[in-house]
Amino acid sequence: ECSKKNMKMEKLEEIIKELINMHISLYLERESVLQELNQQKPVMDECQQLNQKKDNLISEMAQLECKSQNLYEDLKDDTITEAEYLSMKADYMERIGKIKNECEELDKAISMLKKDTKVSFEVSDNMNKFMGFEELTPEIIRAFIKKITFFGDNRIEVEYTFSDQLVLLDELIEERMQLCGAM
C-alpha cells in the first residue's frame, strides 16, 4: 500500500537548510566545549601521566632488549646452558611483546586525550566554511547529507554525513567531563 509522499521543493529546501544550519551550530559548539575541557588541569595531568607511563615502559623494553642480547654472550661463555638461554630469551621476548602492546594502547589513549577540538578536519572545515549559509547548494548537500527519507505524513528523516564524528565528539566530551569531575 502506497501513501502519497508529496512536499513542495521550496519547503523541503527550507527545512533542510534549517536542519543543516542547526547541526553546524551544534557541531561547532561541541568542538568549543571539547577545546575548553582539554585545557583543564585534570586532562593535561592525565596526558602527562600516560606519557610518563609510556616512557617507563620504553625504558623497561630497552633494558630487556639489552639483557636479551647479553644472553648470547652468557651462552658463549658457558655462564648459562642452552636450555636456560632459550627459556630466558623466550621470557624476555614475551615481556617485550606485552610492553609493545601496552605502548600501542597508551598511544591510542594519549591520542584521544590530545584530540584538540577536531575529530575530523574535513568535517570541521566544512562546518566553518558553510556556517550561516543562505542558499542550499549541491556542494552543501554533498558535504552534509547522506540520505533523506520521506514518510507519508509529511515527515522526513535526514541522515547526515558527519553523524559518526558528532557521536565521537560527544563521547570525548563525556570522557573529559568525567576526568574533570564535572558530571
Side-chain angles (χ1 to χ4, degrees):
E1 184 177 322
C2 293
S3 59
K4 186 177 177 185
K5 298 177 184 175
N6 189 358
M7 185 180 282
K8 291 204 179 278
M9 190 61 161
E10 296 82 26
K11 181 177 178 162
L12 176 63
E13 284 181 4
E14 189 60 35
I15 291 169
I16 298 298
K17 187 172 92 171
E18 286 177 30
L19 287 172
I20 292 174
N21 273 317
M22 181 184 70
H23 278 82
I24 287 173
S25 294
L26 175 68
Y27 190 93
L28 293 174
E29 175 188 314
R30 303 308 281 167
E31 279 188 339
S32 177
V33 168
L34 182 60
Q35 184 178 28
E36 288 176 26
L37 287 169
N38 282 344
Q39 302 304 315
Q40 298 293 315
K41 186 172 179 0
V43 174
M44 295 167 93
D45 288 348
E46 178 73 9
C47 192
Q48 185 177 4
Q49 288 174 358
L50 292 175
N51 276 314
Q52 183 61 51
K53 186 174 181 180
K54 182 181 173 195
D55 290 345
N56 292 343
L57 286 171
I58 290 171
S59 177
E60 180 183 349
M61 187 168 57
Q63 291 173 357
L64 288 170
E65 287 171 343
C66 184
K67 287 180 181 180
S68 177
Q69 290 171 354
N70 289 336
L71 281 178
Y72 183 71
E73 293 299 320
D74 291 344
L75 177 64
K76 276 181 20 181
D77 295 340
D78 289 328
T79 307
I80 59 174
T81 66
E82 186 174 344
E84 289 172 322
Y85 167 79
L86 293 173
S87 174
M88 292 172 77
K89 180 90 170 168
D91 289 344
Y92 289 152
M93 290 295 122
E94 180 182 348
R95 179 63 186 141
I96 288 170
K98 286 180 181 178
I99 289 173
K100 285 180 180 179
N101 289 338
E102 287 179 56
C103 284
E104 286 175 12
E105 291 301 315
L106 285 171
D107 281 338
K108 289 177 188 173
I110 291 166
S111 174
M112 291 307 286
L113 276 174
K114 287 185 175 180
K115 279 210 180 288
D116 189 19
T117 58
K118 294 166 181 43
V119 294
S120 166
F121 286 102
E122 179 182 354
V123 171
S124 191
D125 288 346
N126 280 337
M127 296 291 179
N128 285 301
K129 177 180 177 182
F130 295 116
M131 183 175 60
F133 72 92
E134 295 293 326
E135 184 180 334
L136 197 58
T137 65
E139 180 184 17
I140 292 172
I141 292 170
R142 279 191 300 278
F144 296 110
I145 304 294
K146 187 182 288 185
K147 177 176 146 184
I148 299 174
T149 305
F150 293 90
F151 296 94
D153 55 356
N154 251 355
R155 187 172 59 94
I156 63 169
E157 185 177 285
V158 179
E159 190 176 332
Y160 300 97
T161 58
F162 56 89
S163 314
D164 294 342
Q165 289 84 5
L166 189 57
V167 168
L168 181 56
L169 261 176
D170 285 339
E171 289 171 358
L172 290 171
I173 287 169
E174 186 176 325
E175 287 174 14
R176 299 307 189 279
M177 289 177 79
Q178 287 177 351
L179 198 57
C180 294
M183 284 195 93

